[in-house]
Amino acid sequence: MDDCIFCKIIKGEIPSKKFYEDELMIIIEDISPKAEKHYLAIPKKHYKLFTDMTEEDGINLGKCIRKIGELAPSLGLENGFRFVINQGDDAEQTVFHLHMHLLGGQKLTSCDFRKNAKKQ
C-alpha cells in the first residue's frame, strides 16, 4: 500500500529501530511506548484486518507469533509480556496494517475491560 506507514517502514523508506526481521515480519520499537518495553511486530504482507487474511496468511501469522515467543528473552521480555492486537475502529486501531503490540519489561497492571461495558 502506497500510503501505509508500516509498508514504508518495511521497505526502508521510513527509518525505524529494528530489533528483528525475517521474511514474514519485522519487530520495531513503538514510538509512543506504553510500557518500559514496547515493540510492534508487523507482518510484511499488508492486510488491514484479520478478516482480510487468507488461510495462508493465518498460518504465516501463527509462525510470527511462535517466533515472538522465541525472541521474548532477547527483547527483555523474559518475565512475560502483554500481546495486544487492535482490530478496527472500536478498538482504536490507528494504523490499518495488522500489527501486534508487545508490552513488558515491568509489572503491568491488570486491565478491567468490563468497567466501561454497558450494563445489561
Side-chain angles (χ1 to χ4, degrees):
M1 304 305 281
D2 291 336
D3 60 342
C4 174
I5 190 167
F6 288 163
C7 288
K8 290 178 180 180
I9 290 170
I10 290 165
K11 291 177 191 172
E13 296 171 7
I14 296 175
S16 66
K17 185 172 182 182
K18 291 183 187 174
F19 289 86
Y20 178 78
E21 181 171 12
D22 65 18
E23 70 280 355
L24 296 176
M25 74 169 165
I26 63 169
I27 297 177
I28 63 171
E29 197 170 52
D30 192 294
I31 62 169
S32 182
K34 307 295 186 240
E36 186 177 313
K37 305 281 184 179
H38 187 167
Y39 306 98
L40 299 177
I42 307 167
K44 287 187 171 180
K45 182 173 179 187
H46 180 96
Y47 33 88
K48 179 178 168 181
L49 304 166
F50 282 117
T51 52
D52 295 338
M53 293 172 48
T54 65
E55 186 173 339
E56 182 181 346
D57 293 333
I59 291 168
N60 287 335
L61 185 61
K63 291 176 183 177
C64 293
I65 292 169
R66 183 178 161 115
K67 179 54 83 172
I68 289 166
E70 292 172 12
L71 294 170
S74 67
L75 295 170
L77 304 172
E78 61 277 346
N79 291 325
F81 59 95
R82 187 164 291 153
F83 182 92
V84 178
I85 298 175
N86 297 318
Q87 170 83 0
D89 292 327
D90 284 354
E92 297 186 355
Q93 182 178 2
T94 56
V95 178
F96 285 90
H97 179 129
L98 184 72
H99 58 285
M100 300 152 274
H101 294 262
L102 312 171
L103 301 106
Q106 68 186 66
K107 193 78 157 172
L108 300 170
T109 59
S110 48
C111 296
D112 186 355
F113 296 109
R114 296 168 291 169
K115 70 180 176 183
N116 293 320
K118 293 180 183 178
K119 295 188 179 190
Q120 297 185 358

